[in-house]
Amino acid sequence: MRSDAAGAPGRRASLQEDAEKGAPATEPLGKGEGLVWEEEEGRAALILTFTLRNARKAGLSKTAKVFETFEAGIHHLETRQAKKSKNTADDLEFFVKCEVHNSDVSILINSLKKVAEDVKTIREERVPWFPKKIRDLDKCHHLIAKYEPDLDHDHPGYTDPEYRKRRAFFTDLAFSYREGDPLPRVEYTVQETATWREVYRKLSSLYPTHACKQYLDAFQQLEKCCGYQEDNIPQLQDVSRFLKERTGFQLRPAAGLLSPRDFLASLAFRVFQSTQYIRHSSSPMHSPEPDCCHELLGHVPMLADKEFAQFSQAIGLASLGSSDVEIEKLATLYWFTIEFGLCKQNGALKAYGAGLLSSYGELVYALSNKPEHKPFDPELTAVHPYQDQTFQPVYFVAENFEDATAKLQKYALRIKKPFSLQYDPFTCSIEVLNTLQKVKNTLGQMKEELKNLCFALENIS
């Protein structure tokens, strides 16, 4: 028989049985004080307060046994004398931050009530797991498989065993990749390069008249620095280095169309998950899923623009810890901006969306008089229905990227979250600003940056 963490066989089962005998619901802490943070591997972070009478005697050891039995990892513990106490020396109030398995949360709390008083924690308000360090993106690889050649009967490559075998090779590359690894270099076949050539040649003929200025400037640099040309499919490693130097964005390989939550989370770290496979040769002008033509010709040039990079990261940061409903709205915003967005330049409409800039037919259509053009308003855009099988009947037009970013950030502030986040570019990590000290630290950093700007202005003047 296996002994539990407390050293007595069956103690966990005994505590579970006692805890399940109708203990009252737990009382909530104040707003923002208590949250269950969903963690990987089924564990959750938990905040608890409780009072122990005669803590220095049996109370403390009994309480410790409860935490030990459920293998709770205690991250922070504070004590103070109880406010209402007959024996101030032995009656203590506890504040505990711990990590416990999701399935044990309720049982642990009710077990505490057997040995402590005034046990308080949160209502069942869970924060969806999100990456907090850039290496956590190794876990953000969940695919939407409905468009893949193995499953979609309408996919151009469904009946082509060689193409499906090649796709499996690219899938293995992406799933084997870990943060910090060199980006895999691919030796593309003659047929793959021929498909790229046809797409590249036709689209590049439209760019001078249909693409925005930011795209054209970056595309010219990519041709010069990263091997963008008809007879060469650029390597992610070279392109990622180019982006890193200009906007801090970098690439990592993706196996296909990712779930909106995983994909948007990557943008928060200025990481773009990019496929490396290419569309089937029988359909060079259309792909039912993202491929390297879409990523390299549609997305990459715009990610080299600082204002656009800021806009992209803002959507990613807004997604972290958001509910499924909010994720759907943010994914729709992403669709109508980063994928199919238009902007005004010199009195004319220009394309900046990757879905347009990698599709000859829709690029021509979007800038014609056939579809409806509406001003970009995040509140309206986020709930507007979209098409993923045909051209859009409506496109949203931004005045400029600075204006679009300001509107998006204002929209993000309205997303209901009981916490705030800060991206640290030095450590490529996300800080949850859930304590006064963390807010003070962040404010201190901002003050230092403001001082540097003031000195710069003095030197200029």
Side-chain angles (χ1 to χ4, degrees), residues 91-306:
D91 294 351
L92 300 176
E93 291 180 357
F94 284 75
F95 175 88
V96 179
K97 288 185 178 181
C98 65
E99 184 182 288
V100 67
H101 196 280
N102 283 329
S103 62
D104 290 336
V105 170
S106 296
I107 303 171
L108 180 142
I109 293 169
N110 289 331
S111 297
L112 277 177
K113 289 186 175 185
K114 303 291 183 180
V115 296
E117 299 177 9
D118 299 325
V119 178
K120 295 179 181 178
T121 182
I122 54 98
R123 288 181 290 266
E124 191 67 7
E125 184 179 4
R126 291 185 176 272
V127 177
W129 179 87
F130 59 88
K132 298 180 181 67
K133 298 181 183 297
I134 196 168
R135 67 170 177 268
D136 292 339
L137 296 183
D138 289 343
K139 304 168 186 174
C140 296
H141 50 57
H142 300 94
L143 296 176
I144 296 176
K146 65 179 180 178
Y147 298 122
E148 292 190 350
D150 288 345
L151 300 174
D152 181 7
H153 290 219
D154 295 325
H155 194 289
Y158 181 75
T159 59
D160 185 343
E162 285 302 313
Y163 181 79
R164 291 170 64 169
K165 182 179 179 181
R166 182 69 165 162
R167 283 292 298 273
F169 163 76
F170 285 107
T171 297
D172 289 342
L173 278 185
F175 282 136
S176 299
Y177 179 83
R178 294 293 179 270
E179 172 58 33
D181 291 348
L183 288 168
R185 303 186 77 88
V186 175
E187 186 174 342
Y188 288 98
T189 67
V190 172
Q191 187 177 63
E192 288 169 338
T193 304
T195 301
W196 166 269
R197 182 188 305 114
E198 185 172 353
V199 176
Y200 189 95
R201 183 178 297 167
K202 194 159 187 178
L203 283 170
S204 59
S205 68
L206 274 185
Y207 291 155
T209 53
H210 287 66
C212 66
K213 182 181 184 301
Q214 292 87 339
Y215 181 94
L216 295 174
D217 291 344
F219 192 78
Q220 185 178 23
Q221 290 299 310
L222 287 162
E223 288 184 316
K224 180 181 178 181
C225 304
C226 294
Y228 269 56
Q229 54 190 0
E230 290 184 3
D231 296 320
N232 178 66
I233 303 177
Q235 297 290 335
L236 291 194
Q237 193 175 90
D238 301 330
V239 176
S240 186
R241 188 183 304 114
F242 172 88
L243 290 176
K244 185 78 172 176
E245 291 175 355
R246 282 158 177 78
T247 63
F249 254 91
Q250 55 187 308
L251 306 179
R252 65 173 288 149
L257 181 63
L258 296 178
S259 71
R261 187 179 291 280
D262 283 355
F263 182 80
L264 295 177
S266 303
L267 296 179
F269 294 82
R270 297 210 170 202
V271 171
F272 185 87
Q273 300 226 32
S274 174
T275 56
Q276 289 184 281
Y277 58 81
I278 196 165
R279 60 195 62 181
H280 195 265
S281 59
S282 67
S283 181
M285 290 300 121
H286 172 73
S287 176
E289 57 184 337
D291 73 328
C292 68
C293 294
H294 175 73
E295 323 284 32
L296 296 172
L297 296 177
H299 284 290
V300 166
M302 291 307 304
L303 290 173
D305 178 77
K306 289 184 178 180

Side-chain angles (χ1 to χ4, degrees), residues 205-438:
S205 68
L206 274 185
Y207 291 155
T209 53
H210 287 66
C212 66
K213 182 181 184 301
Q214 292 87 339
Y215 181 94
L216 295 174
D217 291 344
F219 192 78
Q220 185 178 23
Q221 290 299 310
L222 287 162
E223 288 184 316
K224 180 181 178 181
C225 304
C226 294
Y228 269 56
Q229 54 190 0
E230 290 184 3
D231 296 320
N232 178 66
I233 303 177
Q235 297 290 335
L236 291 194
Q237 193 175 90
D238 301 330
V239 176
S240 186
R241 188 183 304 114
F242 172 88
L243 290 176
K244 185 78 172 176
E245 291 175 355
R246 282 158 177 78
T247 63
F249 254 91
Q250 55 187 308
L251 306 179
R252 65 173 288 149
L257 181 63
L258 296 178
S259 71
R261 187 179 291 280
D262 283 355
F263 182 80
L264 295 177
S266 303
L267 296 179
F269 294 82
R270 297 210 170 202
V271 171
F272 185 87
Q273 300 226 32
S274 174
T275 56
Q276 289 184 281
Y277 58 81
I278 196 165
R279 60 195 62 181
H280 195 265
S281 59
S282 67
S283 181
M285 290 300 121
H286 172 73
S287 176
E289 57 184 337
D291 73 328
C292 68
C293 294
H294 175 73
E295 323 284 32
L296 296 172
L297 296 177
H299 284 290
V300 166
M302 291 307 304
L303 290 173
D305 178 77
K306 289 184 178 180
E307 287 186 348
F308 184 83
Q310 181 67 26
F311 179 80
S312 301
Q313 186 181 28
I315 292 183
L317 288 169
S319 77
L320 299 181
S322 289
S323 67
D324 290 343
V325 171
E326 294 298 343
I327 289 292
E328 185 177 352
K329 291 180 181 179
L330 288 167
T332 303
L333 275 173
Y334 179 92
W335 180 270
F336 281 116
T337 55
I338 295 177
E339 288 291 353
F340 293 96
L342 300 175
C343 63
K344 292 180 182 178
Q345 289 186 344
N346 299 322
L349 290 180
K350 299 292 181 179
Y352 71 86
L356 298 175
L357 293 162
S358 60
S359 171
Y360 184 93
E362 189 158 7
L363 182 53
V364 172
Y365 168 82
L367 269 64
S368 71
N369 295 324
K370 294 178 182 179
E372 184 179 359
H373 298 118
K374 292 184 176 182
F376 174 62
D377 179 347
E379 293 287 349
L380 299 176
T381 307
V383 294
H384 197 281
Y386 63 86
Q387 291 287 339
D388 61 2
Q389 297 295 316
T390 185
F391 296 168
Q392 307 300 312
V394 176
Y395 297 92
F396 290 89
V397 182
E399 292 294 327
N400 52 62
F401 296 133
E402 184 178 4
D403 178 66
T405 301
K407 287 180 177 178
L408 178 67
Q409 290 173 335
K410 186 177 180 180
Y411 172 86
L413 290 174
R414 297 195 187 105
I415 297 176
K416 292 182 179 180
K417 295 182 189 177
F419 57 91
S420 295
L421 301 172
Q422 177 75 15
Y423 176 69
D424 185 344
F426 301 108
T427 60
C428 296
S429 61
I430 300 293
E431 185 77 57
V432 180
L433 303 179
N434 56 356
T435 68
L436 184 59
Q437 188 58 50
K438 289 181 179 180

